[in-house]
Amino acid sequence: MMSFQKEKRLVRALYSALERASPNRIGHVLSEFMATDALWRGFHPFDELTGAEAVAEQFWKPLRLSLSRMQRRQDIFFAGKNEIDGFTGTWVVSMGHLMGLFDRPWLGIAPTGKMVFLRYCEFNRIENERIAETAMYFDIPHLMMQAGLNPFPPQTAAHLVQPGPLTHDGLLFDDALDAEGQATLATINAMIGDLGTWQSGLPLEEELAQSWTDDMVWWGPAGIGATYTIERYAKQHSGPFRAAFKDRSKTRHLARLAEGHYGGFFGWPNFTARHSGGFMGMPGSDRPGEMRVIDIYRRDGKKLAENWIFIDLLHFWKTQGVDILKRTVAIADS
């Protein structure tokens, strides 16, 4: 059985040290775990940062100062070899919420003094016992909505603070059997083959049924929402989404891996597509838009049962000429 204990311990030690550190010590803590030239990718407005000090000063320190008494509440934790680079690189994945008391402004969003949850998913590539690369994706519109802002038109599915897996077994601190991870990765790849082009020729619900259990749950980002069962997923997201886009590029992932019954991938971007109109109630555009996405999956038997999705909708709409974050904060301040 392949062991990822060294890599998992490194990431867990970082999380523990971050939780104990004062905001002014975060840069020092990160420098103990990150390579000097580590690349960090985050959702808009952070984008790409290099090195521990930049990540601390631009992302972690402001967030910690805004969300006092912050806790990392993990729902999923696993590791694996990256299929995209020929199973050479090792990545550790964490998903859940960063919870705190929203006591100071963040990104221009006014504080509430109440609990808020920032949905996140983080991929860390470990090399030479250091974090060499990170994808840290987080749902800023979800936090905005908890703070009473409405960045988007009414969404097609449900807005929720999202729970972890139905089975409550997503924290793989111990290593799982290789065969289980291989089965999960094969199931994810079959789904990508079915859905990645939107051109299977089958009716949508029949196409989805090839890869998904009938009682699937799609935990989508704020602005789209969460939906339950193949029928409602087709009606509340997948069908409208496909109808609103054309000229989709091929899927491009930077990492794709699995362990046990859990797996996922991310891209930068995953694909581009041209919005012909209607997605999230917004007008169309002639410009191709970038979709930066993380997908995390839980497999049940031979099919996928749950899917947690992180889409940088702020970046996507900015590529379409609309700065949602700036516009929403400005309206709230007026």
Side-chain angles (χ1 to χ4, degrees):
M1 186 171 72
M2 192 172 295
S3 175
F4 301 106
Q5 284 301 298
K6 185 184 297 184
E7 293 85 0
K8 289 178 179 179
R9 282 195 297 267
L10 177 73
V11 173
R12 293 181 70 190
L14 168 61
Y15 292 169
S16 179
L18 274 177
E19 191 154 315
R20 294 193 309 269
S22 67
N24 289 331
R25 292 283 295 169
I26 289 175
H28 175 73
V29 167
L30 291 178
S31 69
E32 292 183 339
F33 291 87
M34 295 174 67
T36 304
D37 59 349
L39 174 62
W40 185 96
R41 295 181 175 93
F43 276 2
H44 175 80
F46 299 97
D47 299 309
E48 293 186 345
L49 302 173
T50 302
E53 195 62 27
V55 176
E57 290 299 314
Q58 296 187 48
F59 176 70
W60 278 112
K61 184 176 177 180
L63 181 64
R64 281 281 302 276
L65 289 171
S66 297
L67 304 188
S68 60
R69 305 291 297 271
M70 194 172 77
Q71 295 181 353
R72 182 186 299 266
R73 303 177 67 88
Q74 293 188 103
D75 294 309
I76 292 175
F77 184 89
F78 66 91
K81 292 290 186 179
N82 181 13
E83 179 184 33
I84 303 303
D85 66 7
F87 299 101
T88 300
T90 299
W91 292 76
V92 179
V93 180
S94 171
M95 189 205 83
H97 295 83
L98 300 175
M99 184 195 80
L101 297 169
F102 194 10
D103 287 338
R104 296 180 183 86
W106 186 56
L107 303 177
I109 305 166
T112 63
K114 301 176 183 178
M115 292 170 63
V116 289
F117 293 79
L118 180 64
R119 292 182 65 229
Y120 82 90
C121 188
E122 184 177 47
F123 279 59
N124 284 300
R125 180 170 64 84
I126 313 302
E127 184 178 286
N128 298 324
E129 299 184 7
R130 291 270 178 161
I131 295 171
E133 187 176 355
T134 298
M136 177 72 175
Y137 291 5
F138 32 82
D139 195 339
I140 295 172
H142 184 248
L143 186 144
M144 295 169 75
M145 292 167 73
Q146 293 170 69
L149 301 178
N150 294 299
F152 302 119
Q155 58 192 30
T156 52
H159 171 65
L160 304 165
V161 174
Q162 298 181 2
L166 173 67
T167 47
H168 301 283
D169 61 356
L171 298 175
L172 303 185
F173 298 141
D174 296 324
D175 296 324
L177 294 174
D178 294 344
E180 294 292 350
Q182 292 164 7
T184 300
L185 190 58
T187 306
I188 292 171
N189 283 330
M191 179 275 301
I192 293 171
D194 289 343
L195 308 184
T197 62
W198 304 344
Q199 296 175 350
S200 71
L202 293 173
L204 177 55
E205 290 187 31
E206 290 183 27
E207 178 187 305
L208 293 168
Q210 294 182 122
S211 302
W212 298 90
T213 61
D214 179 65
D215 61 348
M216 66 169 288
V217 186
W218 192 84
W219 301 106
I224 300 172
T227 185
Y228 171 47
T229 73
I230 285 178
E231 177 200 4
R232 299 301 169 86
Y233 171 62
K235 291 177 179 177
Q236 295 174 358
H237 174 63
S238 186
F241 186 77
R242 295 191 192 193
F245 287 93
K246 59 184 179 181
D247 303 330
R248 172 176 170 151
S249 71
K250 291 184 178 179
T251 300
R252 301 186 295 268
H253 293 154
L254 296 181
R256 189 189 307 149
L257 57 138
E259 184 184 14
H261 287 80
Y262 294 88
F265 52 70
F266 80 90
W268 189 263
N270 296 49
F271 65 91
T272 61
R274 206 176 303 275
H275 179 220
S276 54
F279 176 53
M280 298 175 63
M282 305 284 269
S285 168
D286 290 332
R287 297 182 240 179
E290 292 185 345
M291 291 284 182
R292 298 171 175 174
V293 183
I294 278 179
D295 275 70
I296 300 296
Y297 300 91
R298 178 177 68 85
R299 174 179 60 85
D300 183 3
K302 296 183 178 180
K303 294 186 178 183
L304 301 173
E306 292 188 87
N307 182 195
W308 294 262
I309 304 89
F310 298 77
I311 305 175
D312 194 349
L313 292 172
L314 297 181
H315 173 72
F316 172 78
W317 288 117
K318 202 163 187 296
T319 66
Q320 304 298 286
V322 183
D323 192 329
I324 297 290
L325 179 61
K326 183 177 180 181
R327 180 181 73 177
T328 306
V329 170
I331 291 172
D333 289 342
S334 62

